[in-house]
Amino acid sequence: MRERIGKLLADGLKTQTEPFPETAREFSRLLDELYRLPPDDLRGKLVLSGFTDTPYGPERMRCQECMYYLVHRKWCDLPELAVPVEADWWCRLWRI
Amino acid sequence: MANLLWLQGGACSGNTMSFLNAEEPSACDLVNDFGINVLWHPSLGVELGENLRKLLRDLVSGAIPLDIFVFEGTVVNAPGGTGEWNRFAGRPMKDWVADLCKAAGFVVAVGDCATWGGIPATAPNPSDSQGLQFLKREHGGFLGKDFTSKAGLPVINVPGCPAHPDWITQIVVAVATGRTADITLDEFQRPKTFFQSFTQTGCTRNMHFAYKVSATEFGQRKGCLFYDLGCRGPMTHSPCNRILWNRQSSKTRAGMPCLGCTEPEFPFFDLAPGTVFKTQTVMGIPKDMPNGVDKKGYIALTAAAKNAAPRWAEEDIFVV
Ligand code: SF4
Ligand code: SF4
Ligand code: SF4
């Protein structure tokens, strides 16, 4: 699965990296949208959450430092995402 | 023998319920072991009507000495400063409170309503409620900031929504047995013995806090409740994880975030749907940091903590 996601990203899947949810309220709005997707809609999830396969922005934000990233499992523990990820990836649900 | 009177203003009775549930010491121990004479209490008092009025008048006049006056609930000033919305024994409760506080050796405010106004005093505060000596963070309240009781102490504030039963009974015993010299108060007049440490002190999720592993739902048996669920444990002064509730639990142990109920801001969050029990963030970073941590430090700390996180931090360690 991680490889499949990696391939989709490497092949240039266009995802919505902007706007970054600035406040908790915008963040939960995005979660609600994610929650409404069919559970097996992987592409939908990737697009809506704005996945990239590189660190993002001037602060080089990446999964490794994100609250939801489980280091040992290389797993995104955000219930609305719940996907395997790489430490150097990022998505706009990033939170520290 | 110390005479104690307990009255209730704008309140839900939560602190009375809490008090009756006390075990160390219990409400009965107060009477049997510590010689406290409970003159009247809303759930325990037997006097009614004219008998009660006479008791109150005698306490105000000094015919019966009032050693400890415990007040639960807000002082209701509405409408228009008359206090008529909260009448008791023939007159506005606020008038009784003013007179009794002057007559009392010690005044103890129990629960958030009596200490800082709590929920009733939250904007728009329709009952024009005040705490005895604070209104939220502002010193003054109903009695004014210079008030001291006959024994020379300001109001002793035992906050909480409700206050833990043993915080109440232990303070009452300390006062009744003349150990007030042992009670030092913090800037909000809370006894330091209870309110110097944080809710986080003794929290079983401390390791998860350190390694930044988040609980994402209520009741989850791993993870810290700070990062997602708005736990106020790192900024709230309370001993909830040292003096457990029902002797065995606390909010955080049950997987429920601390709401910060012992602080004057309670309930302070933006109560719009979707924002309750959510850590408020700005660009992915928590708006309120743990005490003494700044934004830059927080980011650096997180990176270090994540790198050092042991494998077990990802497992469910709350084995029942
Ligand atoms: S929420 Fe996004 S940035 Fe955070 S771990 Fe998951 S995928 Fe990575
Ligand atoms: S933030 Fe809350 S859950 Fe986390 S360690 Fe502190 S008190 Fe416990
Ligand atoms: S855990 Fe927090 S909200 Fe709960 S009683 Fe203690 S201080 Fe209040």
Side-chain angles (χ1 to χ4, degrees):
Chain A
M1 174 93 137
R2 190 175 294 112
E3 280 165 22
R4 225 173 95 211
I5 301 175
K7 176 128 195 352
L8 280 168
L9 296 175
D11 288 349
L13 177 72
K14 273 262 158 294
T15 63
Q16 284 172 29
T17 51
E18 300 285 341
F20 187 87
E22 273 185 56
T23 61
R25 211 173 294 185
E26 288 171 21
F27 191 92
S28 44
R29 218 172 293 142
L30 194 53
L31 286 184
D32 284 345
E33 282 180 54
L34 267 174
Y35 189 71
R36 280 196 292 270
L37 291 179
D40 52 356
D41 182 1
L42 181 62
R43 257 171 189 273
K45 271 191 190 180
L46 297 181
V47 171
L48 200 55
S49 45
F51 262 81
T52 62
D53 58 1
T54 50
Y56 191 83
E59 260 141 41
R60 312 274 304 150
M61 296 181 284
R62 54 183 191 146
C63 289
Q64 169 75 25
E65 279 82 35
C66 172
M67 210 70 271
Y68 303 106
Y69 180 66
L70 297 182
V71 183
H72 301 286
R73 285 188 237 167
K74 300 214 294 183
W75 176 262
C76 174
D77 209 27
L78 178 66
E80 286 78 2
L81 281 175
V83 285
V85 286
E86 289 290 353
D88 267 341
W89 293 357
W90 175 83
C91 90
R92 62 174 167 154
L93 290 155
W94 182 89
R95 188 164 179 169
I96 191 166
Chain B
M1 194 61 129
N3 283 340
L4 180 145
L5 172 78
W6 179 310
L7 294 186
Q8 216 176 62
C12 70
S13 290
N15 290 284
T16 280
M17 296 301 138
S18 196
F19 169 65
L20 296 177
N21 195 30
E23 283 183 74
E24 286 174 17
S26 72
C28 293
D29 294 341
L30 296 193
V31 179
N32 296 332
D33 299 348
F34 297 101
I36 295 175
N37 181 25
V38 181
L39 296 169
W40 200 82
H41 176 286
S43 299
L44 305 171
V46 284
E47 276 81 14
L48 289 170
E50 183 47 33
N51 288 345
L52 173 59
R53 271 198 289 272
K54 177 163 180 347
L55 170 69
L56 295 173
R57 280 197 303 265
D58 286 349
L59 288 169
V60 169
S61 71
I64 300 175
L66 175 57
D67 301 299
I68 309 168
F69 176 46
V70 179
F71 193 62
E72 166 186 16
T74 59
V75 179
V76 172
N77 292 295
T82 61
E84 291 287 340
W85 279 8
N86 180 203
R87 286 180 68 81
F88 181 73
R91 58 197 292 235
M93 176 61 96
K94 80 179 186 70
D95 295 345
W96 284 121
V97 171
D99 292 347
L100 290 162
C101 286
K102 272 187 218 136
F106 295 93
V107 178
V108 181
V110 165
D112 280 359
C113 297
T115 51
W116 5 94
I119 293 174
T122 299
N125 191 1
S127 56
D128 198 358
S129 276
Q130 285 175 302
L132 281 184
Q133 222 170 356
F134 279 86
L135 178 57
K136 302 293 171 185
R137 201 164 263 270
E138 193 187 311
H139 200 184
F142 177 66
L143 296 170
K145 66 176 176 349
D146 297 327
F147 169 84
T148 50
S149 63
K150 279 208 168 135
L153 279 186
V155 174
I156 301 171
N157 282 335
V158 185
C161 193
H164 186 292
D166 298 345
W167 311 341
I168 306 174
T169 52
Q170 287 181 26
I171 286 301
V172 167
V173 165
V175 171
T177 54
R179 287 195 290 107
T180 41
D182 297 348
I183 305 179
T184 38
L185 303 178
D186 73 3
E187 55 176 328
F188 293 110
Q189 294 166 212
R190 298 174 291 200
K192 280 195 185 165
T193 173
F194 296 129
F195 298 102
Q196 201 166 26
S197 63
F198 293 95
T199 312
Q200 192 171 24
T201 313
C203 177
T204 46
R205 294 165 191 264
N206 259 328
M207 286 295 192
H208 294 94
F209 179 77
Y211 291 123
K212 316 270 172 193
V213 177
S214 179
T216 44
E217 282 170 40
F218 276 17
Q220 255 175 10
R221 300 194 304 169
K222 65 158 194 187
C224 166
L225 301 149
F226 175 69
Y227 302 106
D228 267 293
L229 299 173
C231 184
R232 305 283 308 170
M235 322 73 170
T236 300
H237 295 86
S238 96
C240 291
N241 280 302
R242 288 194 289 124
I243 301 174
L244 297 175
W245 290 75
N246 295 319
R247 252 44 49 233
Q248 54 175 309
S249 196
S250 68
K251 283 197 176 68
T252 58
R253 284 172 198 223
M256 151 91 192
C258 167
L259 304 168
C261 82
T262 51
E263 298 293 333
E265 287 80 13
F266 174 85
F268 46 87
F269 267 152
D270 176 358
L271 295 173
T275 63
V276 182
F277 299 129
K278 276 274 159 223
T279 300
Q280 305 296 295
T281 50
V282 181
M283 299 300 276
I285 298 170
K287 211 153 102 187
D288 290 325
M289 295 284 174
N291 266 39
V293 178
D294 67 6
K295 201 180 278 184
K296 240 173 105 196
Y298 183 79
I299 294 174
L301 251 160
T302 304
K306 277 268 171 193
N307 282 327
R311 200 169 280 276
W312 58 256
E314 291 175 15
E315 308 297 333
D316 177 355
I317 59 161
F318 291 77
V319 187
V320 177

